[in-house]
Amino acid sequence: MKSNRVRKGGGRPKDLGAGLKYSSQPQNSNGLEEGVEFLPVNNAKKVEKRDPRRRAVLVAVVVAVSLLSLTAGFLVWHFQYRNARVQTVFNGYLRLTNEKFLDAYENSSSTEFGSLAGKVKDALKLLYSESPVLGPYHRESSVTAFSEGSVIAYYWSEFSLPQRLVQEAERVMARERVITLPPRSRALQSFVMTSVVAFPTDPRMAQTTLDNSCSFALHARGQEQTRFTTPGFPDSPYPARARCQWALRGDAEAVLSLTFRSFDVAPCDERGSDLVVVYNSLSPVEPHALVRLCGTYPPSYNLTFLSSQNVLLVTLITHSERRHPGFKAVFFQLPKMSSCGGTFRDAQGTFSSPYYPGHYPPNTDCTWTIEVPGNRNVKVIFRQFFLVEPDVALGTCTKDYVEILGTRYCGERPQFVVAGNSSRVTVRFHSDQSYTDTGFLAEFLSYNSSDPCPGMFTCKTGRCIQKTLRCDGWADCTDYSDEKNCKCNASHQFTCKNEFCKPLFWVCDGVNDCGDSSDELGCSCPAETFRCSNGKCLPKSQQCDGRDDCGDGSDEATCAKVSTVPCTSRTYRCHSGLCVSKANPECDGKQDCADGSDEKDCDCGLRSFSKQSRVVGGQNADVGEWPWQVSLHVQGQGHVCGASLISPTWLVSAAHCYADDGGFRYSDPAVWTAYLGLLDQSKRSAPGVQEHRLKRIIRHPSFNDFTYDYDIALLELERPAAFSSVVRPICLPDATHVFRAGKAIWVTGWGHTQEGGTGAVVLQKGEIRVINQTTCEKLLPQQITARMMCVGYLSGAVDACQGDSGGPLSSVEADGRIFQAGVVSWGEGCARREKPGVYTRLPWFRSWIKDQTGV
Ligand code: 4AZ
């Protein structure tokens, strides 16, 4: 047995408190100093009485020692800190007013470059020497580039500054200054440099540390696109600990458009992530940064950036050893906009921020004047609005903004309307010098002020919505004005305290639907008891006691401590055979089973792209957003059903898709073709799409063609799928996994976009909510079995439809992993009120899937 007793006679006691006194006597053989006395604390006075002179000496010694240590401390602080030298690198630029640009200035090894750079360095040295804060500490300066227009020189200067002067030096360097050198003997003109500014920079990006093999200068050729990539792209990953830069130039009167066509660098993490920064300058200075990028973007993501003049700088700093291919980019030049904005005199029209949906350029101001004809008013509908900039306090629009009728708008906003009360409105757009975004797309209309939305309901925001959306429990006007002042229909609606009407079956479902929780009040249990997810009230002492007292596991599901509990049908069983109290512990990033089996086989449910495109209209899915979604085609019929990829060779789908019908042999694997990695049905030969034949179809033996009970099938591919950024498997939930009522889940497919309509060309996605089983049974009486679950909205609107069958319900679970909650099975029509879609519950079939496929 291990014991923690201290060894006898070992070492000196560290701190024995106030009663301890050390003498300078030699140590005894125990290692303790001889003469050490352990005095009782209350004995201190007795010691003093022994010798009053000794007390005075002691006080003097203490004072002297304190003074000495204070002085020493000050000196240490003064020399070590205040006077400690800090290497500071400033990056900056300046304008050379009397200089004509020569092409040779773009080549840093030309003699012309060297000669002009020499003059700039001399001038900088002179400038610094005039400042006591800078002169004595200036180490070195270097010119990195020149650009044309009025000639601009980009440079860095290194200082070794005492800590106490760093802030002052930063202030002086950031102040725009002018330097004039008198004409030299051979030069007729004086050498004038204006707008001399510089900012402290990440020293890693200073030229001294830049690897020359990773520094590129590119000039746009005519109207052509120039392509550049990270080293080794796409076959080998970019190097770790690299410092790369691409200086992009155009002709004097041009601006540049830069697009990243492919972008895959290491994921963004707090510290030390790999980073790409684009600057609207050839100096890597923060005030001119346009964007900072890391992670992975799908090809559809808009990564186009515009400069405000004829240069851009792209830098890459890498740390990680993780293997990512990097980026591929193109740029080209285009004439500078002569003006921005305009005057409209029509009854309706559209306008947008410059270069929309590319990122608008910095330093831009545009004004649109809208004057509608007749005696009507103007309203402006902002369909898309993205003016996000870092470090802007919420509610203030201090950097980029749109100003209309005296109000400034910025940030990211859902569609909104600004309605004026006259026939004329002015819209102003402003972008400052740093960080740009996609901008806005707006439409203007004229309207009759006495009837702004003919035949429709007018939101307080000015938006027009269908009258049927009023008082339906959903906020269709972003300001909730369609849900205010409603008279709820007691037969199927609940009146919230805030007077919103919500469907009755949302009451006591554990979700705050009213917004003021009034739909969840009165559902609570008496004091000292808690409410199970199934509504039961139990004593609090039974919560987290390791036993399933609720009967649905909810009393044990969210306990801080995961304990081993007796196994039931609702507890997760580890490979060891032991069961844990936690609900849904599989692949949640935390080891809950002692043998780690809950975190095994978790290579599923993740997308390749860390960034998702912003939804620009509709609910089209994005490339790689649902990489497990499969489209099943029948020759001559096209897309018929959906399915999901669960392993390289197995798909999950709905059994009813593979039942013979009207003499057609849907049960024959040979009639089917599976398309993996597909987004657009019209682009089945697009890169990344895989076409597979089926080897086997296993319909669940209990599938009932009449009730659609056990509506699940397994499809085996003839050859394994190759996983890629657009082909990946979804996670299968354990048999005990709970998708609780109210949880938001995604349904995807190419099914009809309306009941009786036609199939979608681009994969569609819709967010719906799990409906509790009792409500489900009430809404679809005598049709729901334990294998089925209702998911959707009682107001209709979002639902699966014909052609979505067999597709997955994707549920984002702990740790961001996506699990398949169900399979699209059936419904009474599509998107009808109070008729949600019905789905086959996946957890019910977990062991059957394992038995049939080994997955
Ligand atoms: C179908 O026919 C179908 N509204 C699938 C789902 C739903 C309706 C029909 C649910 O494949």
Side-chain angles (χ1 to χ4, degrees):
M1 197 179 121
K2 195 167 159 261
S3 139
N4 282 334
R5 263 183 295 152
V6 181
R7 248 186 323 136
K8 257 192 190 166
R12 193 172 103 167
K14 271 198 188 123
D15 181 6
L16 294 173
L20 175 66
K21 178 169 78 80
Y22 285 127
S23 79
S24 54
Q25 312 254 328
Q27 290 185 347
N28 70 8
S29 57
N30 285 329
L32 280 172
E33 289 157 81
E34 283 183 0
V36 171
E37 293 174 59
F38 296 91
L39 301 171
V41 178
N42 57 10
N43 225 3
K45 280 229 168 67
K46 249 200 235 161
V47 183
E48 288 161 18
K49 264 191 200 151
R50 267 191 238 154
D51 184 355
R53 268 185 21 235
R54 203 170 147 186
R55 186 185 168 214
V57 171
L58 204 69
V59 169
V61 167
V62 168
V63 168
V65 167
S66 310
L67 275 175
L68 256 173
S69 17
L70 264 173
T71 317
F74 174 77
L75 288 174
V76 166
W77 172 76
H78 186 74
F79 287 105
Q80 293 263 316
Y81 177 72
R82 255 175 76 77
N83 263 357
R85 295 299 174 93
V86 185
Q87 291 304 109
T88 310
V89 177
F90 289 87
N91 263 286
Y93 50 87
L94 50 87
R95 259 173 232 285
L96 298 168
T97 48
N98 288 345
E99 213 62 33
K100 241 180 84 69
F101 191 81
L102 307 176
D103 287 346
Y105 291 158
E106 287 193 14
N107 173 7
S108 60
S109 39
S110 69
T111 43
E112 291 87 343
F113 183 104
S115 141
L116 188 59
K119 283 206 244 174
V120 171
K121 283 203 297 191
D122 288 349
L124 286 172
K125 208 166 161 189
L126 186 74
L127 178 72
Y128 298 147
S129 69
E130 286 166 3
S131 160
V133 180
L134 302 173
Y137 312 107
H138 178 219
R139 288 281 155 276
E140 195 189 353
S141 289
S142 179
V143 175
T144 53
F146 293 104
S147 67
E148 67 182 306
S150 63
V151 180
I152 299 179
Y154 302 89
Y155 64 93
W156 56 260
S157 294
E158 190 180 334
F159 295 83
S160 178
L161 290 163
Q163 179 72 50
R164 73 196 145 86
L165 293 181
V166 169
Q167 271 193 346
E168 175 66 1
E170 286 179 5
R171 216 176 43 75
V172 175
M173 292 292 275
R175 209 167 51 209
E176 286 201 12
R177 285 155 304 162
V178 176
I179 321 168
T180 308
L181 291 188
R184 296 224 181 116
S185 53
R186 265 175 290 138
L188 293 175
Q189 284 182 318
S190 55
F191 187 66
V192 184
M193 309 196 308
T194 60
S195 317
V196 185
V197 278
F199 305 93
T201 330
D202 185 339
R204 293 166 305 180
M205 264 335 284
Q207 192 73 13
T208 34
T209 54
L210 262 179
D211 170 5
N212 264 347
S213 67
C214 210
S215 182
F216 309 92
L218 303 166
H219 195 120
R221 273 172 274 117
Q223 305 280 299
E224 266 175 57
Q225 294 205 344
T226 306
R227 178 181 181 275
F228 62 99
T229 66
T230 43
F233 183 91
D235 305 321
S236 42
Y238 57 76
R241 286 176 294 283
R243 310 274 172 265
C244 297
Q245 68 171 30
W246 293 262
L248 315 180
R249 289 186 176 83
D251 299 339
E253 286 311 307
V255 293
L256 300 181
S257 168
L258 162 73
T259 301
F260 292 94
R261 287 269 155 84
S262 168
F263 194 98
D264 183 357
V265 311
C268 316
D269 36 41
E270 292 291 295
R271 286 180 319 130
S273 59
D274 296 354
L275 191 63
V276 171
V277 188
V278 180
Y279 298 92
N280 184 48
S281 164
L282 287 182
S283 268
V285 293
E286 179 62 19
H288 293 291
L290 290 187
V291 70
R292 300 163 79 83
L293 300 167
C294 46
T296 317
Y297 288 81
S300 53
Y301 201 99
N302 192 309
L303 288 175
T304 295
F305 302 90
L306 269 297
S307 68
S308 65
Q309 6 125 49
N310 60 341
V311 293
L312 280 176
L313 179 73
V314 180
T315 63
L316 166 73
I317 300 182
T318 74
H319 303 268
S320 71
E321 299 278 359
R322 285 172 284 183
R323 301 175 68 78
H324 287 263
F327 66 72
K328 173 174 85 181
V330 294
F331 79 102
F332 62 93
Q333 58 182 346
L334 63 169
K336 207 178 229 166
M337 268 187 314
S338 52
S339 68
C340 176
T343 305
F344 299 112
R345 293 215 163 78
D346 302 324
Q348 64 185 87
T350 56
F351 61 105
S352 62
S353 49
Y355 304 102
Y356 179 87
H359 288 59
Y360 51 77
N363 294 322
T364 302
D365 285 278
C366 314
T367 304
W368 293 268
T369 306
I370 304 162
E371 232 179 306
V372 292
N375 198 14
R376 292 167 74 88
N377 295 351
V378 189
K379 72 173 157 190
V380 182
I381 306 162
F382 288 90
R383 300 252 175 241
Q384 304 291 340
F385 195 93
F386 301 108
L387 271 77
V388 177
E389 189 157 355
D391 304 325
V392 173
L394 209 69
T396 67
C397 294
T398 47
K399 294 184 173 177
D400 302 353
Y401 60 83
V402 167
E403 189 175 307
I404 176 166
L405 294 172
T407 306
R408 285 184 181 181
Y409 300 89
C410 58
E412 180 172 350
R413 301 176 64 102
Q415 177 171 307
F416 67 103
V417 183
V418 181
N421 50 11
S422 76
S423 60
R424 190 188 149 102
V425 154
T426 304
V427 182
R428 282 199 188 86
F429 167 78
H430 168 78
S431 66
D432 74 341
Q433 61 174 353
S434 65
Y435 294 101
T436 63
D437 201 347
T438 319
F440 69 85
L441 174 66
E443 193 181 321
F444 67 87
L445 295 170
S446 71
Y447 74 96
N448 177 351
S449 57
S450 59
D451 184 14
C453 297
M456 296 174 95
F457 174 77
T458 313
C459 300
K460 275 250 168 66
T461 57
R463 186 175 171 188
C464 305
I465 61 162
Q466 296 294 337
K467 278 196 169 139
T468 50
L469 299 177
R470 171 122 171 85
C471 301
D472 68 347
W474 294 94
D476 300 287
C477 300
T478 45
D479 63 351
Y480 291 84
S481 50
D482 58 319
E483 296 300 316
K484 286 184 181 148
N485 306 318
C486 296
K487 227 181 130 26
C488 308
N489 182 336
S491 72
H492 67 281
Q493 286 184 318
F494 169 79
T495 309
C496 302
K497 238 202 180 124
N498 57 20
E499 297 189 345
F500 288 164
C501 304
K502 298 285 170 186
L504 263 184
F505 60 90
W506 285 1
V507 175
C508 299
D509 66 350
V511 180
N512 172 10
D513 299 291
C514 286
D516 61 2
S517 295
S518 53
D519 56 319
E520 297 300 312
L521 290 177
C523 323
S524 59
C525 297
E528 296 311 306
T529 66
F530 72 96
R531 191 169 185 272
C532 306
S533 295
N534 58 15
K536 262 194 204 169
C537 296
L538 291 178
K540 278 210 168 121
S541 58
Q542 292 186 357
Q543 215 171 0
C544 298
D545 65 353
R547 277 201 311 269
D548 177 10
D549 303 289
C550 287
D552 63 0
S554 56
D555 54 323
E556 301 300 317
T558 52
C559 306
K561 193 172 150 279
V562 179
S563 37
T564 305
V565 293
C567 295
T568 70
S569 62
R570 296 178 204 280
T571 51
Y572 181 85
R573 187 187 288 267
C574 307
H575 286 186
S576 61
L578 296 176
C579 290
V580 288
S581 56
K582 186 177 178 183
N584 307 348
E586 72 275 33
C587 305
D588 67 350
K590 295 190 191 93
Q591 184 182 321
D592 303 301
C593 293
D595 62 2
S597 53
D598 57 313
E599 294 301 312
K600 277 209 184 116
D601 304 322
C602 291
D603 190 11
C604 58
L606 292 181
R607 297 164 171 146
S608 302
F609 301 116
S610 49
K611 303 281 163 29
Q612 230 63 75
S613 291
R614 286 152 162 181
V615 177
V616 178
Q619 282 289 294
N620 282 356
D622 201 0
V623 185
E625 195 177 358
W626 313 100
W628 36 85
Q629 174 78 50
V630 179
S631 165
L632 279 139
H633 281 225
V634 170
Q635 209 183 3
Q637 300 179 25
H639 168 90
V640 172
C641 271
S644 56
L645 185 68
I646 59 162
S647 82
T649 45
W650 286 98
L651 311 180
V652 170
S653 190
H656 79 255
C657 294
Y658 311 94
D660 294 341
D661 185 21
F664 192 87
R665 297 221 359 107
Y666 289 102
S667 61
D668 179 1
V671 306
W672 294 95
T673 305
Y675 289 93
L676 281 60
L678 184 69
L679 181 70
D680 185 326
Q681 290 286 350
S682 69
K683 295 181 183 151
R684 294 197 299 282
S685 39
V689 177
Q690 297 177 29
E691 191 180 315
H692 289 261
R693 318 270 333 165
L694 297 189
K695 184 159 138 193
R696 196 154 49 123
I697 297 174
I698 309 173
R699 279 188 300 152
H700 197 282
S702 306
F703 170 61
N704 184 320
D705 201 8
F706 183 68
T707 61
Y708 275 27
D709 202 6
Y710 294 91
D711 191 11
I712 189 166
L714 294 164
L715 317 177
E716 189 177 7
L717 299 179
E718 219 169 58
R719 59 190 165 84
F723 292 170
S724 68
S725 59
V726 291
V727 176
R728 277 165 179 267
I730 192 168
C731 295
L732 288 177
D734 185 68
T736 59
H737 201 107
V738 180
F739 297 98
R740 58 165 183 79
K743 184 167 194 314
I745 300 194
W746 290 90
V747 61
T748 47
W750 289 272
H752 290 190
T753 47
Q754 270 184 31
E755 191 175 329
T758 53
V761 178
V762 175
L763 181 65
Q764 299 292 297
K765 62 179 178 187
E767 199 181 27
I768 46 182
R769 294 213 292 178
V770 177
I771 291 168
N772 80 38
Q773 200 71 356
T774 328
T775 309
C776 180
E777 285 162 10
K778 269 191 217 147
L779 295 167
L780 296 159
Q782 267 118 56
Q783 298 173 78
I784 301 300
T785 70
R787 269 71 52 195
M788 300 174 189
M789 97 174 139
C790 288
V791 189
Y793 292 128
L794 276 292
S795 58
V798 189
D799 192 13
C801 201
Q802 194 181 337
D804 291 323
S805 281
L809 267 185
S810 299
S811 173
V812 183
E813 299 287 298
D815 212 24
R817 251 173 227 283
I818 299 181
F819 280 68
Q820 185 165 357
V823 178
V824 181
S825 180
W826 63 277
E828 276 189 27
C830 306
R832 294 188 193 169
R833 283 186 175 232
E834 318 238 315
K835 297 293 171 200
V838 182
Y839 298 80
T840 311
R841 292 178 178 273
L842 245 272
W844 184 279
F845 296 97
R846 186 64 191 96
S847 62
W848 176 71
I849 295 172
K850 177 90 185 161
D851 292 347
Q852 300 298 316
T853 66
V855 181

